[in-house]
């Protein structure tokens, strides 16, 4: 327990922090559309810590602190984040109701004998998010 009497949060050993162009827009997308939960935020820093089914991410509005080169849309070129979910069909339906364009449609893939159903979309800044469920 922490000093406020609530359970101490467990942090994953790897937590990506994404620079976003507009924290409000990104929060609406991640929380409102996809269903991530807001674990905590620092409004003055335009920062939010979010989670979904054990996956953890940090999103922070661009501030120049983390930019190692010119950051132009789409962000995150060359990387995609795979996020395991427990009901991919429900999430896929939710995405469709919000008219979010897909980068790759729902598919079943086998990787080294491991089969999963997955689809890929881009967040408002262009980061690729691959949602998957084991088959």
């Amino acid at each position: 327990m922490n000093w406020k009497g609530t359970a101490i949060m467990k942090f994953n050993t790897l937590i990506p922090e994404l620079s976003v162009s507009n924290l409000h827009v990104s929060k609406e997308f991640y929380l409102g559309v996809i269903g991530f939960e807001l674990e905590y935020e620092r409004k003055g820093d335009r920062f939010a810590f979010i989670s979904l089914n054990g996956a953890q991410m940090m999103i922070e509005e661009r501030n120049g602190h983390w930019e190692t080169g010119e950051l132009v849309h789409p962000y995150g070129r060359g990387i995609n984040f795979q996020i395991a979910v427990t009901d991919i069909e429900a999430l896929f339906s939710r995405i469709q109701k919000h008219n979010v364009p897909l980068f790759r449609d729902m598919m079943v893939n086998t990787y080294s004998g491991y089969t999963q159903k997955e689809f890929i979309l881009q967040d408002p800044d262009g980061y690729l998010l691959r949602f998957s469920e084991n088959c």
Side-chain angles (χ1 to χ4, degrees), residues 105-117:
D105 205 349
M106 182 82 79
M107 62 192 110
V108 175
N109 285 318
T110 301
Y111 305 104
S112 301
Y114 195 61
T115 303
Q116 64 186 32
K117 189 179 280 192

Side-chain angles (χ1 to χ4, degrees), residues 10-12 14 36 39 50-57 83-84:
K10 179 188 178 296
F11 292 95
N12 294 341
L14 174 66
F36 273 77
E39 297 295 340
I50 60 177
S51 69
L52 177 71
N53 195 41
Q56 299 174 330
M57 295 173 66
I83 303 166

Side-chain angles (χ1 to χ4, degrees), residues 85-102:
V85 296
T86 56
D87 188 349
I88 198 162
E89 294 292 342
L91 178 58
F92 189 73
S93 177
R94 184 177 177 146
I95 296 298
Q96 289 180 314
K97 286 178 185 171
H98 284 88
N99 296 314
V100 175
L102 297 175

